Amino acid sequence: MRLWNRVRFWLQRPRLNNDLAEEIRLHREMLEEQLILDGTPPGEARFAAARRFGNLTAAVEQSNDEWSFRWLDAALKDLRFAWRLTLRQPLVTIAAVLTVAFGVGANTAILSVLETVLLNPLGLRQADNVVTARVRMDKIRMRHAETSGVEFREIAAMTDAFSAVAAIEGRYWISQVGGEATRLVGRAVTPDFFRVFGEQPAMGRFFAPEDRESVVLSHGFWQSAFGGDPSAIGRAIILDDKPYRIVGVAPAAFRFPATAQLWTPLILTPDRLQRRGYNMILSLFARLRDGVTLAQAEDRVARHVAALKSAGDAEGREISEYGYGIEIDSFARYLAGDLRRPLWLLWAAALVVLVTGCANVAGLLLTRASGRGREIAIRLAVGATRAQIVRQLLIESLLLGALGGAAGLLMAHSAVSLLTRVAIPGKQLLALVSLDWRLLLYGFALALLSGLLFGLAPAIQLFRESQSPGLVRSRRHSFQHLFVTAEVAGAFVLVILTGLLVRSLWAVQRIQPGFDPRQVSTAFFLKPANDPGFLDRLRVALDSTPGLTSAALAL
């Protein structure tokens, strides 16, 4: 109850202070009139009443101390003073704010990418339990290859390690959407695909084993093509001249694969399920059974492959000769691929930028505090304590940190918007990076922490002012030299990290795909319906194109 009274008093303080001042004035006038009636001269009566009630302003402040939050009032006064100081020294303010903004903006933007790609892959539920399986053949130096139907069948049978297994295959369709031919991107998936990722449909249902000509729409495609109409469930959509019945809509948060607009059932023929290495175009994903770790799943699959090799039949001898293996990896590592190391290096570099920036701002504030010696001495002389001076200096630095944090979040938003427009082949998931409230909170907290850190420098210096003048100057110079050393060290580390990052990106660019990609171009064509001669005419046109040495078509 006392806390509530304090809150109410603080919220209504101007009116209550006026009421208190008016009440004291009335009582003082009543006492003055009583003294005059008792024979005291009016002038003496007025002074006597004033002495009895004391100073009016002091009485109001004493009331505020008793019924309000003294520390909050003092902090607000310091904040107002700090704001006036920032306006009075705009160059210092701009330099400090921009320094903090660059560090906070870079950290927040890079962390948003790490959040989407590594820390919380695509925002999927229990993504730590999702793994991927890929084929390795040491003899031909093939790693991280897609799987065939045989691996899908064998891993799906390992129910002791996996609760759900799904295979997906890339697909493109030509569809009549909005009266014109449109190329749609999607995936053909086995029935347990959405179960692997722990998803529930936003509308309708997901696939059942008996589904054939069915389709599940992504939430974005449902909104853009059907206007979010619930009656779209049950309607037909034409894909490659064949009707597919819409059975469900995926939730808006489900964004895997990043480019998928829809999903259709994947029907694996008996031939694909029996021939190992045939049509190795399946991406294989599985959900670990409760209590099973990634290491245990790897061991289970490794034991299965070892049993195949030791069987002594023709297949066992062949896969032994090729160094065949099945690699089980986490979904996060699968998503990040060759971006993992550059992303961590970028984040480390951003942290170094922030620490170096804090050292820069600390040196700046230290110099400013040295020039405010007269002001601080006067405040100490009139009764201010060292704790109050330190609080004032920390609030000034926190205000700079808050302003830098706000500017840094704007920079992070712009950086993320730019990043989503950058086309990196095979990394379309970067288009899904976004800033949510947690990342915004992280960025602002980082800015306040930075303000607290670089505000400690002038505060510590103030505590050292009790030493002799000569020793003060000596320690002040050593303190400033410490920040200069930190800045140089930070810049040196940043140069090293930049070199490592450039080296990693250079190594990624030099990965050999097995052919010379120079002067090789690709293009997509929409095949007109009911035009069987289109491909032949296209091939003839490509072969007769000047400067084109060879051309191939893939369906």
Side-chain angles (χ1 to χ4, degrees):
M1 190 65 181
R2 181 176 176 84
L3 177 61
W4 167 244
N5 288 334
R6 285 178 176 270
V7 172
R8 187 177 61 177
F9 181 88
W10 192 81
L11 295 175
Q12 302 177 0
R13 183 170 52 177
R15 182 179 62 82
L16 295 177
N17 282 342
N18 290 333
D19 292 344
L20 177 61
E22 181 65 19
E23 184 176 356
I24 293 175
R25 187 182 62 79
L26 290 175
H27 282 283
R28 189 172 61 184
E29 290 178 354
M30 291 172 59
L31 178 59
E32 183 179 345
E33 292 175 358
Q34 183 63 42
L35 291 174
I36 292 174
L37 292 175
D38 292 340
T40 305
E44 295 182 8
R46 184 167 59 255
F47 287 120
R51 285 194 301 269
R52 178 78 60 87
F53 282 94
N55 184 274
L56 180 60
T57 302
V60 172
E61 291 181 351
Q62 184 179 0
S63 175
N64 286 336
D65 291 342
E66 182 65 25
W67 288 103
S68 185
F69 300 98
R70 183 185 304 178
W71 58 270
L72 183 58
D73 291 335
L76 290 176
K77 291 178 182 177
D78 289 341
L79 183 60
R80 286 192 293 268
F81 179 81
W83 177 250
R84 291 194 300 270
L85 183 63
T86 58
L87 297 179
R88 196 164 58 241
Q89 298 178 334
L91 293 181
V92 175
T93 301
I94 292 174
V97 168
L98 289 180
T99 302
V100 176
F102 279 119
V104 170
N107 271 274
T108 306
I110 295 172
L111 186 63
S112 67
V113 179
L114 288 173
E115 172 78 8
T116 302
V117 178
L118 289 175
L119 303 180
N120 185 23
L122 300 180
L124 297 175
R125 299 183 181 91
Q126 301 176 344
D128 291 342
N129 291 334
V130 178
V131 298
T132 181
R134 290 177 285 188
V135 170
R136 180 189 77 245
M137 293 188 187
D138 296 334
K139 182 177 180 179
I140 57 177
R141 298 180 180 179
M142 184 176 72
R143 299 181 64 86
H144 308 313
E146 302 286 21
T147 64
S148 65
V150 176
E151 285 82 18
F152 167 69
R153 172 177 56 81
E154 292 173 344
I155 293 179
M158 301 179 190
T159 55
D160 55 332
F162 308 104
S163 60
V165 180
I168 71 174
E169 188 176 278
R171 292 286 172 85
Y172 301 95
W173 299 274
I174 304 301
S175 177
Q176 295 290 332
V177 178
E180 62 180 18
T182 303
R183 179 175 177 267
L184 299 180
V185 181
R187 297 294 187 272
V189 301
T190 54
D192 276 346
F193 172 72
F194 294 100
R195 184 169 162 239
V196 166
F197 293 99
E199 295 295 333
Q200 296 295 326
M203 291 187 62
R205 63 175 177 83
F206 290 142
F207 296 126
E210 62 272 13
D211 280 323
R212 292 298 182 268
E213 310 298 330
S214 303
V215 63
V216 173
L217 307 180
S218 70
H219 197 276
F221 182 68
W222 173 59
Q223 292 284 348
S224 61
F226 297 92
D229 186 3
S231 65
I233 303 298
R235 289 162 58 180
I237 180 174
I238 305 301
L239 303 176
D240 290 343
D241 299 328
K242 294 176 60 177
Y244 283 74
R245 185 169 60 92
I246 301 173
V247 297
V249 176
F254 185 70
R255 305 174 295 176
F256 180 74
T259 57
Q261 296 171 286
L262 47 85
W263 298 267
T264 60
L266 174 61
I267 309 302
L268 296 175
T269 63
D271 192 41
R272 293 187 66 177
L273 293 173
Q274 296 299 325
R275 294 175 59 186
R276 190 182 305 276
Y278 173 67
N279 272 6
M280 294 179 61
I281 55 175
L282 298 179
S283 297
L284 196 58
F285 302 95
R287 176 169 286 275
L288 298 176
R289 186 168 292 281
D290 291 342
V292 177
T293 64
L294 177 62
Q296 290 171 333
E298 291 176 333
D299 179 69
R300 175 67 178 86
V301 173
R303 285 188 283 111
H304 170 74
V305 173
L308 292 175
K309 293 179 178 179
S310 62
D313 55 7
E315 182 186 53
R317 290 191 296 271
E318 183 179 12
I319 63 176
S320 296
E321 178 184 355
Y322 276 88
Y324 171 87
I326 300 177
E327 300 174 330
I328 303 297
D329 212 342
S330 67
F331 183 67
R333 292 179 67 91
Y334 167 83
L335 273 184
D338 48 25
L339 287 180
R340 293 185 76 252
R341 185 179 180 185
L343 285 178
W344 285 116
L345 286 175
L346 274 175
W347 192 44
L351 287 176
V352 173
V353 169
L354 181 62
V355 172
T356 305
C358 286
N360 281 327
V361 178
L364 192 64
L365 295 185
L366 194 62
T367 303
R368 186 174 73 173
S370 300
R372 295 170 62 189
R374 177 185 175 88
E375 170 203 331
I376 293 176
I378 293 175
R379 296 182 66 181
L380 290 172
V382 298
T385 64
R386 292 189 181 274
Q388 290 173 329
I389 302 297
V390 169
R391 182 187 64 203
Q392 173 65 50
L393 296 175
L394 290 179
I395 287 179
E396 292 172 9
S397 63
L398 286 174
L399 177 60
L400 292 175
L403 294 175
L409 294 181
L410 291 177
M411 289 185 181
H413 182 269
S414 301
V416 169
S417 299
L418 178 63
L419 182 64
T420 57
R421 295 183 177 92
V422 175
I424 301 180
K427 300 301 178 186
Q428 293 87 354
L429 62 92
L430 293 180
L432 304 177
V433 175
S434 61
L435 290 175
D436 58 17
W437 66 269
R438 294 172 302 159
L439 291 169
L440 294 176
L441 185 62
Y442 162 81
F444 198 70
L446 192 64
L448 293 181
L449 179 61
S450 302
L452 184 63
L453 289 177
F454 60 65
L456 289 175
I460 294 175
Q461 176 184 302
L462 177 63
F463 275 113
R464 293 182 170 183
E465 294 294 328
S466 58
Q467 306 295 330
S468 62
L471 188 55
V472 168
R473 286 192 296 270
S474 174
R475 291 194 173 185
R476 182 180 299 164
H477 290 312
S478 63
F479 210 34
Q480 292 172 335
H481 291 162
L482 176 64
F483 286 111
V484 172
T485 303
E487 293 167 21
V488 174
F492 184 70
V493 173
L494 188 60
V495 169
I496 294 176
L497 291 175
T498 303
L500 291 174
L501 178 61
V502 171
R503 179 183 176 184
S504 298
L505 294 176
W506 177 256
V508 170
Q509 292 292 329
R510 293 183 61 83
I511 292 177
Q512 296 297 326
F515 61 91
D516 187 0
R518 291 174 296 180
Q519 296 184 336
V520 176
S521 301
T522 60
F524 291 98
F525 294 90
L526 300 181
K527 180 179 178 295
N530 303 319
D531 187 359
F534 172 77
L535 294 180
D536 292 332
R537 295 197 306 273
L538 177 62
R539 186 180 296 108
V540 171
L542 290 174
D543 290 339
S544 61
T545 301
L548 191 66
T549 59
S550 63
L553 299 179
L555 299 179

